[in-house]
């Protein structure tokens, strides 16, 4: 490359870099979440505070045995515009409950901010113009033709300092049956126990059934962010003893492809990047799992518990657990078996799970997720060192013997068959395996892919700082310095590799660092840190091995020269 061309490319590269940085500042980090609905004043006709239960009943499909079941808790004609919501605040949850039916129509997570520099909590559930996503629960109860209108003792509940538990009771009455709907909260817990206490004050037995639903529209995942590359799964999921983790995307729900199933225990969830909402019924009871759409077109993932008979003058209790929060494996494992599988590490989960366990242990010691990634990368490279060394030795031998291979190509270039024969003789003589540099790398690829998904899916990296300008490992480098370092390290690696004999292939290989740099501009910083550290270690290992092979007189001892 001549000096004039170089002098032209340098300012163009700087200009392109500044344009990308400015674009990132203007458009790259925008995020909008609905505000919490008011709970202290009436709301007249505001669609943002509408109750989902006022529009759609909690419908249960026909049982698999063929028994006919009427719609449970049908539509309530009365709108929520004139009703107040009940506010509940703990150390980790900020909820709004609609007394008409007792649905959770808003849930924010105070310990997870909307953005790194924002004071606003991340909003998980909301029923607004921008996103409709609510957790509904109700009863299929004899003699009940609409949502139960509850009366709370007060409109605001707060977990007091020093208290470990908070209970919120909503009271109602249906045809002589006293109904108390209780929400129980624990400190430092995203799990909410939802229970119905029924007192049958009539002279006839009644049947009751708990129903839990998660209803969400098709709006995009607000926790994924405007980044390129592979995105996390957004959709529903079910778990039964037969299927520990079954994903059902919204398209399947819209098309009615999910088949109802009955199972003991299990759970139903709606999953997004970093966060999940899930209903987990008691694990010792038989439950019906189903999926449908409501009149607003929202996707509904749901379960219905068994029918319970409440004797005359008798009492009964029905319940389930609702989890609304981050995909932290320890938290979810305490709620229901296999719920931690919603941290979806992909088809290489059996490799990703041990890697995450090791990363978590390193974090306990180091106290910084960025440096934990660096140390984990070093440990992984150390474990794969023999495979890498074998690959680099093969490439180093190819590099040293490149002039002889080029001579053979020029000598027999017009006779491909003869050239292939001479090349095979040359490989045998010099003990070269043409695939020696590829196979060890292919063996390592599953580990690298698993590590990629593990870092991408871990909510622990969200808003986790590293050092200097990297204050959030889950989003892209705001200055794009890490992707540029990654591209530069790839370029250095290529200089240590043998030049491909095919000119077209050589040109493609030279373009790869530029292409990868472009894609990595929008990758989360935690992932790019892994690639940079991995490349630097690889360069050091490859350089040492290459120098050793080049200084070994036994390699290419009989090599001819032109």
């Amino acid at each position: 490359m001549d000096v004039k061309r170089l002098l032209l490319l340098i300012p163009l590269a700087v200009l392109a870099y500044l344009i990308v940085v400015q674009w990132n500042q203007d458009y790259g980090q925008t995020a909008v979440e609905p505000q919490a609905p008011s709970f202290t004043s009436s709301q007249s006709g505001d669609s943002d505070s509408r109750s989902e239960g006022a529009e759609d009943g909690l419908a249960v499909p026909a049982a698999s045995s063929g028994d006919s079941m009427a719609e449970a808790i049908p539509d309530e004609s009365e709108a929520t515009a004139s009703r107040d919501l009940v506010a509940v605040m703990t150390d980790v949850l900020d909820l709004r409950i609609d007394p008409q039916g007792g649905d959770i129509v808003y849930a924010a997570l105070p310990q997870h901010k909307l953005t790194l520099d924002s004071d606003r909590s991340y909003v998980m559930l909301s029923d607004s113009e921008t996103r409709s996503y609510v957790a509904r629960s109700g009863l299929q109860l004899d003699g009940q033709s609409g949502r139960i209108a509850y009366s709370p003792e007060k409109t605001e509940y707060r977990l007091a300092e020093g208290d470990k538990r908070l209970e919120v009771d909503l009271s109602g009455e249906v045809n002589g049956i006293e109904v108390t709907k209780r929400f129980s909260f624990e400190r430092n817990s995203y799990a909410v126990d939802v229970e119905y206490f029924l007192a049958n004050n009539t002279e006839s037995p009644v049947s009751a059934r708990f129903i839990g639903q998660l209803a969400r529209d098709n709006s995009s995942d607000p926790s994924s962010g405007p980044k390129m590359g592979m995105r996390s799964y957004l959709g529903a999921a079910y778990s039964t003893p037969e299927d520990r983790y079954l994903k059902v995307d919204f398209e399947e729900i819209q098309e009615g492809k999910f088949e109802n199933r009955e199972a003991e225990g299990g759970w139903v969830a709606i999953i997004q990047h970093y966060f999940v909402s899930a209903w987990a019924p008691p694990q010792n009871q038989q439950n019906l799992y189903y999926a449908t759409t409501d009149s607003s077109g929202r996707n509904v993932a749901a379960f219905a518990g068994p029918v319970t008979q409440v004797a005359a003058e008798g009492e009964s209790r029905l319940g389930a657990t609702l989890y609304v929060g981050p995909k932290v494996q320890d938290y979810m494992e305490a709620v229901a078996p296999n719920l931690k599988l919603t941290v979806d590490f992909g088809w290489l989960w059996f490799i990703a799970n041990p890697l995450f366990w090791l990363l978590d242990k390193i974090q306990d010691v180091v106290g910084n997720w960025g440096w934990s990634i660096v140390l984990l990368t070093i440990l992984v490279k150390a474990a794969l060192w023999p495979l890498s060394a074998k690959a680099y030795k093969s490439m180093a031998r190819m590099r040293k013997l490149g002039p002889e291979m080029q001579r053979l190509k020029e000598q027999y270039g017009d006779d491909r068959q003869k050239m292939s024969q001479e090349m095979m003789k040359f490989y045998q003589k010099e003990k070269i395996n043409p695939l020696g540099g590829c196979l060890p790398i292919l063996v390592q690829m599953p580990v690298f892919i698993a590590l990629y998904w593990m870092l991408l899916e871990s909510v622990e990296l969200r808003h986790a700082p590293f050092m200097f300008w990297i204050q959030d490992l889950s989003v892209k480098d705001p200055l794009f310095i890490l992707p540029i370092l990654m591209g530069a390290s790839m370029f250095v690696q290529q200089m240590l590799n043998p030049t491909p004999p095919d000119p077209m292939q050589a040109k493609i290989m030279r373009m790869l660092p530029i292409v990868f740099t472009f894609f990595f501009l929008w990758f989360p910083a935690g992932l790019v840190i892994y690639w940079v550290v991995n490349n630097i270690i690889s360069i050091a290992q490859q350089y040492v091995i290459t120098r050793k092979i080049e200084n070994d007189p036994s390699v290419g001892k009989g090599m001819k020269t032109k």
Side-chain angles (χ1 to χ4, degrees), residues 136 171 264 291 314 476 555:
R136 301 187 293 191
S171 301
E264 183 177 11
K476 58 182 175 289
V555 178

Side-chain angles (χ1 to χ4, degrees), residues 42 49 54 274 343 419 444 508 558:
S42 297
S49 61
Y274 295 138
V343 183
M419 182 181 69
Q444 300 174 60
I508 294 175

Side-chain angles (χ1 to χ4, degrees), residues 403-473:
E404 177 63 11
M405 288 188 290
Q406 182 64 27
R407 187 190 69 80
L408 293 174
K409 180 182 177 182
E410 293 175 355
Q411 182 176 353
Y412 303 102
D414 296 333
D415 189 346
R416 292 187 174 274
Q417 183 177 359
K418 181 65 174 177
M419 182 181 69
S420 298
Q421 294 174 352
E422 292 297 323
M423 290 291 286
M424 290 304 299
K425 292 180 182 179
F426 178 72
Y427 289 152
Q428 292 175 358
K429 177 182 177 182
E430 296 293 341
K431 299 179 181 180
I432 294 177
N433 180 4
L435 299 179
C438 299
L439 292 179
I441 295 177
L442 290 177
V443 173
Q444 300 174 60
M445 285 307 296
V447 177
F448 297 148
I449 295 173
L451 191 58
Y452 171 89
W453 277 109
M454 185 269 287
L455 295 176
L456 183 69
E457 275 289 289
S458 300
V459 68
E460 290 81 358
L461 299 184
R462 186 175 187 267
H463 296 171
F466 179 35
M467 62 178 182
F468 303 133
W469 71 97
I470 303 297
Q471 295 300 312
D472 186 351
L473 291 168

Side-chain angles (χ1 to χ4, degrees), residues 38 105 143 209 242 252 266 330 365 456 477 543:
S38 172
V105 296
R209 190 177 197 182
E242 292 75 24
E252 291 179 88
D330 291 342
V365 177
L456 183 69
D477 180 346
Y543 176 78

Side-chain angles (χ1 to χ4, degrees), residues 231-345:
R231 290 182 176 270
S232 294
Y233 173 73
L234 172 63
Y238 292 80
S239 178
T240 64
E242 292 75 24
D243 296 297
R244 295 196 311 152
Y245 179 53
L246 175 64
K247 293 192 288 188
V248 182
D249 60 42
F250 289 157
E251 184 177 350
E252 291 179 88
I253 294 178
Q254 293 288 328
E255 296 175 357
K257 293 183 178 180
F258 180 76
E259 296 183 1
N260 303 339
R261 57 193 65 198
E262 292 185 359
E264 183 177 11
W267 48 260
V268 58
I270 288 184
I271 304 170
Q272 64 189 61
H273 195 202
Y274 295 138
F275 302 99
V276 62
S277 64
W279 278 111
Q283 298 300 295
N284 60 351
Q285 72 180 28
Q286 196 77 6
N287 304 293
L288 171 67
Y289 292 96
Y290 63 99
T292 186
T293 57
D294 58 24
S295 61
S296 299
R298 285 173 291 196
N299 308 284
V300 178
F303 86 95
V307 176
T308 300
Q309 295 295 325
V310 186
E313 304 297 335
E315 297 180 348
S316 185
R317 181 176 70 176
L318 307 175
T321 299
L322 173 68
Y323 183 89
V324 181
K327 292 194 287 187
V328 177
Q329 296 188 45
D330 291 342
Y331 294 168
M332 295 187 292
E333 187 67 11
V335 173
N338 301 318
L339 186 56
K340 68 177 184 179
L341 296 180
T342 56
V343 183
D344 195 348
F345 289 150

Side-chain angles (χ1 to χ4, degrees), residues 445-518:
M445 285 307 296
V447 177
F448 297 148
I449 295 173
L451 191 58
Y452 171 89
W453 277 109
M454 185 269 287
L455 295 176
L456 183 69
E457 275 289 289
S458 300
V459 68
E460 290 81 358
L461 299 184
R462 186 175 187 267
H463 296 171
F466 179 35
M467 62 178 182
F468 303 133
W469 71 97
I470 303 297
Q471 295 300 312
D472 186 351
L473 291 168
S474 69
V475 299
K476 58 182 175 289
D477 180 346
L479 300 180
F480 302 108
I481 294 176
L482 286 175
I484 293 174
L485 290 176
M486 190 280 304
S489 63
M490 283 191 66
F491 178 76
V492 173
Q493 272 190 296
Q494 281 194 358
M495 296 187 65
L496 294 174
N497 292 339
T499 303
D502 182 19
M504 181 57 67
Q505 184 182 358
K507 290 180 180 179
I508 294 175
M509 294 298 294
R510 284 196 295 268
M511 289 295 297
L512 284 182
I514 299 175
V515 174
F516 271 76
T517 299
F518 175 78

